[in-house]
Amino acid sequence: MIPIYQIPISNLKGVGPKSAERLHHLGLHRLWDCLFYLPYTYQDRRSIRPIDTLENEEEVLIEGELGAIRSIRKKTEIHIADLHDATGSIALQFFNFKPTNLFKLPQGTRIQCFGRIKKMQSKYFMAHPKTCVVEEDKSLVTKEWAPIYPSTAGLDARRLQQWIQDAVQQSLNASKLEWLPTEILHEYQLPTLDEALLAIHLKPDPLILKNKNHPCLTRIKLEELLAHLISWRSQTEALQQPRRHAIKNNTAKALADFSTQYPLVAQTLKTLPFELTSGQQRALVDIFMDFSESRVMNRLIQGDVGSGKTWVAVLAAIAIASQGDQVAFMVPTEILARQHAQNIRQILGQLNIQVEVLVGALSKNERRPIEQRIANGQCQLVIGTHALFQEAIEFSQLKLVIVDEQHRFGVAQRTALVAKGPGHVHRLMMTATPIPRTLAQTLYADLDTSIIDTMPLGRVPIQTLALPSDRRDELAHRLKNLCAQNQQVYWVCSLIEQSDSMQQQAVDQIGEWLNENVHEFRIGIIHGRLKSEEKQNIMQDFAAEEISILVATSVIEVGVHAPKATLMVIENAERWGLAQLHQIRGRIGRSNLASYCVLLYETPLSPLAEYRIRLLRSCHDGFKLAEQDLLLRGPGELSGQRQSGFNVFKCVELQNDYHLIHDAQCILDSLDQLLAKAVFDTTTKPIGTRWFHNSVSQAV
Ligand code: ADP
Ligand code: MG
């Protein structure tokens, strides 16, 4: 037997293939989709009203005998049919439209009409009523208020209502749907799911749609949010378990074993000024185990900003390079490419591994010798931007492709680079932004993941503050103090989406303000319009602590290493994504100095923006913030593959309901026990989860 939540909508009585298709257009594929399909209004057709009791603007059902029919022409053509009952008469009006069926009926036919009353000088009118000829089993009268659902062309509203009500009734009959414990329902003063569905679809209380915070609606919306949260959490849990490798109890020992196989790796580990964190070690062991198998590696490393993904990748590169093969390291910006190279060269030079940088800004003459060294195998590690695959670059022996900040690259770009190898090219991708599993699976089918859930020791947590932008002046004093102590400041101005010239305008403005207010310190300005050499010089000066304040666009998101930078100011913070802000914020707090992030925002803040800023202040967990991004903006946004129009929610309206997200999280946290069971046990699984999984698999 098909479980109730999988029964297709075509099983409903009266739904044929054509209607089924139209229902699919509305997102109604299974019976359970109907539970979350909300009416937009309720009509009171419970009784027939005598005409002489009608009030202006009332929506009512009337019944009477058809009288005279006529058409008049004013500005537009108006077709009128009179209708009268024992108490009075009313004119049914049709503007620019002649209801031929109605007008063919003989006078005296009994019909029912539903519509809005206009009362003018004690005369009654009803424009474009819904009509029905009264026959034995045909009537517009309903026992309850009638829910009206958004429909689509070719789908009769009354049949749609019938089907949805049937679907809801069947689901309610099949089993009890509520799964939340009574204490929680009491605590939040909510009806059960069954009660809520009954009240919304079958026995409506007209107040429900008048009040967006009606408890019945709240219960449904919470179900939707809980479903999203549960799916998301179970995805991240699944992601945290490496699929192929048994978790090693003793990672350090496993790493030591591999190091005998890769002596240059062992040597590097000794040279590094720090010990790898346990998360880094685990990721590295995962990678080396992949290498030791005959299969090609396809691994994603997820780790919060600053968790030290770069060295994991570099150590993997060293292992490959030490066997005479080549590695391509793809990063999203030139600045990052050069900085990686600079940091890496010092150590790799001693190992006799040759590193080259290949970026779009190189001239032909600069590029040619580099290309040659790549082609004839004189260089083992190439760090570059998308220039790596766009150009006619040939590798002699490409064996590993590393993609840093993978969400910045499209699938096509990653594939193009792998195609440059002779066949088995390992892929290692790194991201600070977790991707929902459903999306990950469609983007890259056989992806293994390692999670770095540890932070290097000794980091002082960043304090985040929010300030309306008209109080910017208050920052001047703080800037001076900091710079006087030889600390540095990032000032981030604009979003990636803006054009280069708009970005330049934004940074120039701040530059001016700084020149007026803190002129005693050196200020650097960086934006997309500068030549790469100029950018390069400014970044270098900043890294060398010759520049105190760096005004920049979001290019620094994936940026540079400047441990003395302890203040980050972000303009228009209300407009950025949470994960992105978190990533940018990760540029500071990279030493044992106390660090501050100031979010400047434009007033007035929308409630949603305020909520996001509050979150960012209180939460420093990249995964949690990504979860929120998923909730607030949808998975497309998160993966960097903007899928416009992918609306995650059916019932929840974020502008109004954002506070429910918090409630849903609290409920889940208090449900931990039950949840563990619910996620894996299909009998107790919350209905929303099952519904959600179905609809996501439809949508992706
Ligand atoms: P991300 O994961 O954001 O790419 P990075 O690889 O840029 O992080 O590392 C951030 C900083 O932390 C770098 O300066 C790096 O040298 C340093 N780092 C990396 N691993 C450790 C560690 N185990 N202990 C201390 N510092 C580390
Ligand atoms: Mg990084």
Side-chain angles (χ1 to χ4, degrees), residues 274-278 280 306-307 454-460 589-592:
F274 47 74
E275 292 251 319
L276 293 187
T277 64
S278 63
Q280 285 172 312
S307 60
T454 47
M455 277 298 195
L457 287 178
R459 296 268 164 89
V460 183
R590 295 191 161 226
S591 65
N592 52 8

Side-chain angles (χ1 to χ4, degrees), residues 21 366 490:
E21 204 174 293
E366 291 169 310
Y490 285 108

Side-chain angles (χ1 to χ4, degrees), residues 23 25 36 42 81 108 119-120 169 222 235 245 260 355 360 414 447 453 511 522 556 590 597 612 616 678:
L23 290 167
H25 278 306
F36 295 87
Y42 294 122
K119 194 176 173 185
M120 279 183 281
Q169 190 67 61
L222 269 179
Q235 281 161 20
H245 309 312
T260 55
V355 182
R414 294 191 299 257
L447 186 83
D453 52 5
R522 199 176 147 203
I556 63 150
R590 295 191 161 226
C597 174
R612 284 150 46 89
L616 216 74

Side-chain angles (χ1 to χ4, degrees), residues 59-112:
E59 265 201 321
V60 294
L61 181 62
I62 53 177
E63 182 178 317
E65 281 170 20
L66 211 50
I69 281 167
R70 66 206 124 100
S71 298
I72 54 173
R73 191 167 251 297
K74 285 196 171 164
K75 262 185 224 149
T76 58
E77 199 166 24
I78 311 174
H79 305 279
I80 301 168
D82 287 327
L83 187 82
H84 54 89
D85 68 4
T87 68
S89 73
I90 185 167
L92 311 176
Q93 297 173 310
F94 300 87
F95 298 90
N96 280 331
F97 158 76
K98 188 170 185 175
T100 33
N101 280 344
L102 185 73
F103 276 49
K104 269 191 215 146
L105 294 171
Q107 282 199 12
T109 309
R110 272 201 97 66
I111 66 166
Q112 290 176 346

Side-chain angles (χ1 to χ4, degrees), residues 272-278 280 303-312 336 340 343 404-405 430-432 452 455-457 459 559 561 583 586-587 590:
L272 285 179
F274 47 74
E275 292 251 319
L276 293 187
T277 64
S278 63
Q280 285 172 312
D304 214 339
V305 214
S307 60
K309 296 180 291 292
T310 315
W311 276 107
V312 172
L336 194 58
H340 273 356
N343 295 340
D404 198 3
E405 309 298 346
M430 298 188 289
T431 182
I452 304 183
M455 277 298 195
L457 287 178
R459 296 268 164 89
H561 187 55
Q583 187 125 347
R587 294 290 114 213
R590 295 191 161 226

